[in-house]
């Protein structure tokens, strides 16, 4: 069995809470090096997680002969750069979502992956969680009949850090770094799940606004879209609402019922048909990225196929950019 030795480019919050420990929980895999441009931060991270090598230069990590796969856990604006560096070095790469900060960078990544023959996987880990697989099963098995419409609704109040001065705002609120505020950070998960179930979105339009005036990125958006099978859908996102309006919900309406579910807080799946009203509780695992990381590692070891690659992730960025008016 091929042993996968990971190097992390980036060691932020996501590697602490969602992904980092999972790399060492899968048989035949471990983390051997980590990189961050801040020396004190990367040194402390390496010591805390018992990682024996650390770097402040990404090229040094990618060139390390002990590293044979690279995890890119940086803000989206640098995803394409580091993914392409890794693939040109012949090392498979696993990139945080979204794949890049814009659709054209996704195309560049796909081109290099094709040219080099080196795979690039993307961290749309919700596809692999039992909660969302249950939702997909209910829909594809026809429990709610023929699907007629899909509606995405998300609203939340501003976070404390949203009130910071422009120079101190978190990177997610800097479009040049994130791609487009909280929308570019959260909507990818919702859109990827829907495209995994219903196929690629082939048309999308959006109306975007900044209603809170707390930062430059769009904070309120409405969109309509159509899947390749003709199914229409719509979405609304508001990141500056009153707390009473807080909502995290996708509704799939069918001819024989409706199924609704959350994307970020794992509230019980709500199924309503003529047979009754049912709530299905499916809790997430301790490390939400463990199932997809296991699939990626097994793919690299040659006895599984992980379909969550850069090709399947790229349509998400196309839809995001269409809604934002970028393409």
């Amino acid at each position: 069995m091929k042993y996968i030795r990971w190097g992390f480019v980036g060691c932020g919050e996501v590697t602490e809470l969602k992904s980092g420990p999972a790399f060492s929980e899968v048989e035949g895999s471990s983390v051997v090096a980590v990189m961050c441009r801040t020396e004190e931060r990367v040194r402390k991270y390496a010591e805390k997680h018992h990682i024996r090598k650390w770097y402040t230069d990404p090229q040094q990590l990618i060139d390390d002969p002990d590293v044979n796969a690279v995890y890119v856990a940086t803000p989206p604006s640098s995803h394409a750069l580091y993914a392409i560096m890794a693939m040109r070095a012949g090392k498979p790469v696993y990139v945080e979502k979204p794949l890049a900060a814009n659709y054209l960078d996704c195309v560049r990544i796909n081109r290099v992956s094709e040219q080099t023959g080196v795979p690039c996987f993307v961290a749309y880990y919700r596809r692999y969680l039992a909660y969302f697989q249950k939702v997909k099963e209910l829909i594809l098995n026809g429990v709610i009949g023929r699907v007629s419409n899909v509606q995405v609704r998300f609203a939340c109040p501003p976070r404390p850090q949203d009130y910071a001065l422009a120079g101190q705002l978190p990177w997610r609120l800097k479009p040049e770094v994130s791609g487009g505020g909280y929308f570019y950070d959260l909507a990818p998960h919702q859109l990827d799940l829907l495209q995994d179930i219903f196929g690629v979105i082939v048309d999308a339009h959006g109306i975007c606004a900044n209603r809170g005036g707390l930062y430059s990125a769009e904070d309120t958006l409405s969109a309509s879209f159509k899947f390749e099978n003709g199914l229409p859908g719509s979405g609304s996102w508001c990141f500056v609402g009153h707390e009473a309006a807080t909502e995290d919900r996708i509704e799939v309406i069918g001819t024989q019922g409706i199924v609704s579910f959350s994307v970020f807080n794992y509230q019980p799946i709500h199924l309503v048909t003529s047979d009754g009203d049912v709530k299905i509780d499916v809790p997430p695992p301790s490390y939400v990225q463990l199932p997809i990381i296991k699939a990626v590692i097994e793919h690299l070891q040659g006895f599984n196929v992980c379909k969550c690659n850069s090709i399947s992730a790229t349509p998400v960025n196309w839809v995001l950019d269409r809604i934002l008016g970028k393409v």
Side-chain angles (χ1 to χ4, degrees), residues 32-256:
V32 299
V34 63
M35 172 270 161
C36 174
R37 295 196 181 276
T38 305
E39 180 175 335
E40 181 180 4
R41 182 176 182 179
V42 69
R43 177 178 54 79
K44 288 183 177 179
Y45 185 94
E47 291 174 351
K48 177 181 178 181
H49 296 281
H50 309 291
I51 300 171
R52 58 190 179 86
K53 294 184 180 183
W54 54 267
Y55 299 97
T56 56
D57 182 342
Q59 190 67 62
Q60 290 183 335
L61 178 137
I62 290 170
D63 290 341
D64 187 327
D66 285 342
V67 172
N68 62 8
V70 176
Y71 171 37
V72 177
T74 61
S77 59
S78 57
H79 284 184
L81 171 64
Y82 295 139
I84 289 171
M85 286 170 62
M87 289 187 291
R88 290 206 183 280
K91 300 183 179 183
V93 61
Y94 175 66
V95 184
E96 268 304 320
K97 62 82 207 162
L99 175 56
N102 57 73
Y103 169 68
L104 292 180
D105 273 352
C106 295
V107 174
R108 290 174 56 218
I109 291 171
N110 290 330
R111 184 182 303 120
V112 173
S113 180
E114 181 180 11
Q115 290 171 347
T116 60
V118 178
C120 175
F121 304 96
V122 186
Y124 282 118
Y125 57 86
R126 282 178 166 81
R127 291 192 206 176
Y128 284 79
L129 297 181
Y131 179 97
F132 300 105
Q133 289 181 343
K134 182 62 178 179
V135 171
K136 186 175 181 179
E137 174 191 312
L138 292 171
I139 294 169
L140 296 187
N141 285 351
V143 175
I144 61 170
R146 179 179 172 84
V147 177
S148 307
N149 188 255
V150 177
Q151 299 175 7
V152 181
R153 297 196 301 274
F154 185 90
C156 66
R159 297 159 172 80
Q161 61 266 31
D162 298 353
Y163 296 95
L165 297 174
Q168 300 172 324
L169 285 170
W171 64 260
R172 288 176 174 84
L173 294 179
K174 300 175 181 178
E176 69 277 11
V177 178
S178 66
Y182 286 128
F183 174 71
Y184 226 87
D185 184 51
L186 298 178
H189 276 303
Q190 298 162 321
L191 294 171
D192 179 74
L193 284 169
L194 292 178
Q195 292 191 107
D196 184 52
I197 297 172
F198 300 111
V200 173
I201 291 173
V202 296
D203 194 11
H205 304 274
I207 298 175
C208 313
N210 183 300
R211 303 297 294 169
L214 301 176
Y215 41 80
S216 63
E218 298 85 351
D219 59 24
T220 306
L221 306 93
S222 293
S224 59
F225 43 85
K226 182 175 71 173
F227 295 89
E228 59 185 335
N229 63 2
L231 175 67
S234 62
S236 65
W237 296 264
C238 179
F239 304 102
V240 290
H242 187 269
E243 60 183 14
T246 298
E247 187 172 20
D248 168 18
R249 182 66 41 184
I250 292 180
E251 290 186 349
V252 181
I253 301 169
T255 55
Q256 297 178 26

